[in-house]
Amino acid sequence: MDLYELLSKSKIRFIKDLIINHSVNNLVTSSKEAGINDLFIAIKGEINDGHDFIVDVINKNVQTIIYEDPYYDYLHFDNINLIRVKDTKKALAILASSFYGEPSKKVNLIGVTGTNGKTTVSTLISKSFNLLGEKCTLIGTTGINMNGEFYPTENTTPQSLILQKMIYTSLNKEIKNVVMEVSSHSIKQERISQLDFNTIIYTNFSHDHLDYHKTVDDYFYTKGLLFSSLGNFFNEKKVLFNGDDKYYKRFMRLTNVESYTYGIGKDNDFQARDIVCDVDKIIFQLFCFDEFIGYVDTNNIFGFYNVYNLLAILAYFYLEGYDMKKVLSVMPQLSGAAGRMEKVKNDFSLNVFVDYAHTPESVYRVLKEVKLISKRKIICVIGCGGDRDSLKRPQIGRITTSLADVAIFTSDNPRNEAPENIIENMIEGASKDNYLVIIDRSEAIKQAIEIMDKNDCVIILGKGHENYQIIKDQKRYFSDTEEALRQINNRFKAIKEF
């Protein structure tokens, strides 16, 4: 594609007499990746500003640069196109969509949004597609899984350029289903502004990300932009809402497409009844528009909150016209997302779980769930991230000490804060003195394993699938799952029975 065609398709204004036309090989936002005949878009990030690298990319023979900082209006370089736009993040999304031929319009694109549950719902949908014999690309917190090919990512929802490229690549691999997590950050930063979603699934809304959004109103407004962008009632798009969530009606008012609800409340379109939950299974009856469809039986998924996640995917396949007998038949083969109440597989039948819960609501949900379905003693290892919303730390301290029998406060990703200060914030909310402070996360997990009995339940919260710790400016390898298994084997490897 040449520059004139790309700018015209993207509705970016330019004067032909002032612009040198050339073929465009790639769109780039990193000066390290820039080369001849690439188009460089200068993005202002939280840490780096692409405008600072304009001279660098010119030295690499990049001929066209899209920028937004008026300062560069006064610069002139021979044979270099400098095109200013009002918002380079939005321009990037539009350019990427045009460059790759608007690929999101050619796939079945499903977006999953909400404070909690995004990773699990999107993962379960992707796995269900695979079990039903269809290819699927999964984009989210744990990376990009393109029908078995894995690509790591830094963000829950990647940059618009990566999204468009991955959807385009999926099409080339004849993958027509794409399911992705949609974070509030990605909405506000224009990463998804040019994506054509067929279905949006809403899980819930609660206190989170206030370090970024500053206010709950801004967080709500940002989420609302997704629903209002879907178009009108006359297209075939739809939204699935968690009908038991107290905020869903406010979001429903923002959308003009068909919407449906799922939950355990009697007024939901898709409902779970006669629910049975245990440490390693969920069973319930599925009703769709008050019609009994069948029994849902899972063997590898834990937690009452996962009833909602399962309902979301079942409602999706029902509305898409799938044979529900076939859909229900694959449910026992499903397993949850990595680091989402993931049981640490061990030779001693110990109940040790790793979960990503790091908000007051998600921590409460996990611990309350275990208390409701089991009389096991709960030992909880937990920390809070540094340089993030400090208001939730006392809340997490209170919830953990209230619901766990033993709480072990430790380091999470302290970043540039002192772990001691973060833990002190957590202790401020403690409701009881049933806690230990062990800053080193490895030692904290070791202590939890050493004090547990066979019938106890150890729950390690906060990091889930993450295999690192961020300490100051270093990213160090660390896996809760691997560390827990190592400590289990260290304690019990010489014992045949426990």
Side-chain angles (χ1 to χ4, degrees):
M1 185 180 297
D2 66 34
L3 179 63
Y4 284 177
E5 182 185 3
L6 178 57
L7 294 176
S8 297
K9 283 186 175 181
S10 303
K11 294 183 170 56
I12 292 178
R13 294 185 178 185
F14 66 100
I15 301 173
K16 278 191 175 183
D17 293 343
L18 300 179
I19 296 295
I20 302 170
N21 197 21
H22 62 87
S23 61
V24 178
N25 291 343
N26 288 300
L27 308 181
V28 294
T29 59
S30 170
S31 61
K32 295 178 181 178
E33 299 172 1
I36 190 167
N37 285 338
D38 289 345
L39 190 155
F40 178 76
I41 302 95
I43 302 293
K44 289 186 177 182
E46 293 181 15
I47 299 175
N48 296 316
D49 185 346
H51 293 79
D52 296 336
F53 299 91
I54 286 178
V55 175
D56 290 349
V57 299
I58 289 173
N59 290 333
K60 291 186 174 185
N61 296 316
V62 169
Q63 198 168 355
T64 300
I65 295 158
I66 306 290
Y67 69 99
E68 69 177 59
D69 191 335
Y71 169 79
Y72 290 90
D73 291 345
Y74 304 101
L75 296 183
H76 175 76
F77 299 91
D78 291 335
N79 301 318
I80 299 298
N81 300 319
L82 284 167
I83 303 172
R84 181 157 70 91
V85 296
K86 291 181 179 178
D87 186 338
T88 50
K89 289 177 182 174
K90 176 164 278 188
L92 174 64
I94 297 170
L95 286 163
S97 179
S98 300
F99 184 76
Y100 288 107
E102 298 182 320
S104 68
K105 292 183 177 180
K106 302 168 187 175
V107 298
N108 172 34
L109 183 60
I110 308 157
V112 183
T113 195
T115 305
N116 300 302
K118 295 187 296 294
T119 302
T120 297
V121 171
S122 56
T123 299
L124 291 178
I125 289 179
S126 177
K127 289 183 176 181
S128 296
F129 271 124
N130 293 332
L131 291 169
L132 292 167
E134 296 186 35
K135 296 178 181 179
C136 183
T137 290
L138 171 65
I139 302 173
T141 305
T142 55
I144 299 173
N145 187 332
M146 195 175 294
N147 202 51
E149 294 183 37
F150 182 77
Y151 304 85
T153 58
E154 293 184 3
N155 301 310
T156 296
T157 310
Q159 184 193 60
S160 58
L161 180 57
I162 297 173
L163 287 173
Q164 297 289 352
K165 184 178 181 178
M166 289 296 102
I167 297 172
Y168 171 80
T169 305
S170 296
L171 275 172
N172 286 344
K173 294 179 179 292
E174 298 184 337
I175 302 172
K176 294 296 180 70
N177 299 303
V178 178
V179 58
M180 60 177 288
E181 298 180 49
V182 181
S183 68
S184 60
H185 291 63
S186 71
I187 300 170
K188 193 161 188 174
Q189 295 175 11
E190 302 284 357
R191 297 182 215 159
I192 61 145
S193 69
Q194 297 302 304
L195 295 183
D196 191 18
F197 290 100
N198 292 325
T199 304
I200 295 293
I201 297 175
Y202 166 85
T203 59
N204 48 60
F205 179 85
S206 62
H207 177 117
D208 197 16
H209 303 306
L210 296 192
D211 55 300
Y212 177 75
H213 290 285
K214 306 305 178 188
T215 67
V216 174
D217 284 344
D218 183 72
Y219 183 32
F220 178 89
Y221 168 78
T222 302
K223 286 283 189 188
L225 291 174
L226 175 63
F227 299 104
S228 63
S229 68
L230 291 175
N232 59 56
F233 190 78
F234 299 102
N235 59 34
E236 297 181 355
K237 301 177 187 299
K238 58 186 175 295
V239 181
L240 282 166
F241 287 101
N242 174 354
D244 294 344
D245 182 78
K246 63 182 180 180
Y247 288 96
Y248 95 89
K249 285 187 178 180
R250 292 177 61 186
F251 287 112
M252 183 180 282
R253 295 187 189 106
L254 300 176
T255 183
N256 293 318
V257 302
E258 289 215 59
S259 56
Y260 305 88
T261 62
Y262 62 89
I264 62 174
K266 63 180 181 179
D267 293 329
N268 286 296
D269 300 316
F270 299 91
Q271 186 184 10
R273 300 179 188 174
D274 296 332
I275 303 165
V276 176
C277 284
D278 206 339
V279 170
D280 55 2
K281 68 180 178 182
I282 297 173
I283 302 171
F284 60 85
Q285 294 182 28
L286 174 65
F287 282 78
C288 301
F289 302 102
D290 287 327
E291 177 188 0
F292 175 68
I293 302 300
Y295 285 91
V296 179
D297 190 347
T298 69
N299 299 320
N300 304 298
I301 298 175
F302 166 90
F304 185 79
Y305 52 87
N306 271 320
V307 172
Y308 287 92
N309 296 332
L310 289 165
L311 277 172
I313 68 168
L314 291 165
Y316 169 78
F317 285 108
Y318 179 95
L319 291 171
E320 289 293 308
Y322 281 74
D323 180 348
M324 291 308 291
K325 286 185 179 179
K326 188 174 181 180
V327 173
L328 291 175
S329 72
V330 304
M331 291 295 106
Q333 301 173 60
L334 282 180
S335 57
R340 267 58 178 181
M341 213 54 193
E342 179 183 7
K343 190 170 185 176
V344 179
K345 295 178 182 178
N346 62 86
D347 296 331
F348 308 98
S349 299
L350 297 176
N351 290 299
V352 180
F353 295 90
V354 170
D355 191 84
Y356 189 55
H358 61 281
T359 67
E361 291 78 8
S362 58
V363 172
Y364 176 84
R365 191 171 66 245
V366 168
L367 296 179
K368 187 69 173 177
E369 178 70 23
V370 178
K371 285 190 80 71
L372 283 172
I373 69 173
S374 172
K375 295 187 181 299
R376 305 171 194 271
K377 184 171 78 174
I378 299 172
I379 303 167
C380 180
V381 178
I382 191 168
C384 289
D387 300 337
R388 296 295 186 268
D389 183 6
S390 60
L391 295 177
K392 65 185 180 185
R393 296 171 188 170
Q395 297 178 51
I396 288 176
R398 176 180 56 78
I399 291 166
T400 309
T401 51
S402 297
L403 295 176
D405 296 284
V406 179
I408 302 178
F409 295 149
T410 188
S411 177
D412 189 284
N413 291 323
R415 299 181 178 88
N416 294 306
E417 286 194 69
E420 297 89 343
N421 294 342
I422 297 172
I423 293 172
E424 194 61 40
N425 291 157
M426 297 174 70
I427 291 173
E428 288 172 8
S431 61
K432 293 185 284 186
D433 61 357
N434 57 336
Y435 61 86
L436 304 173
V437 173
I438 304 177
I439 293 174
D440 184 277
R441 195 170 181 91
S442 176
E443 288 297 318
I445 293 172
K446 177 182 179 181
Q447 180 67 12
I449 300 301
E450 286 188 347
I451 65 176
M452 78 176 298
D453 291 326
K454 181 177 182 179
N455 293 322
D456 293 345
C457 188
V458 170
I459 305 176
I460 306 167
L461 298 180
K463 297 188 62 59
H465 66 283
E466 292 179 352
N467 60 1
Y468 59 83
Q469 273 192 292
I470 302 174
I471 301 173
K472 296 187 184 300
D473 59 349
Q474 293 186 3
K475 196 172 186 178
R476 304 176 185 177
Y477 185 85
F478 189 92
S479 165
D480 282 351
T481 303
E482 292 177 13
E483 188 61 31
L485 181 59
R486 187 172 76 87
Q487 298 298 348
I488 289 170
N489 290 333
N490 283 348
R491 182 181 175 191
F492 303 114
K493 61 185 177 182
I495 304 175
K496 293 183 179 180
E497 293 184 5
F498 175 65

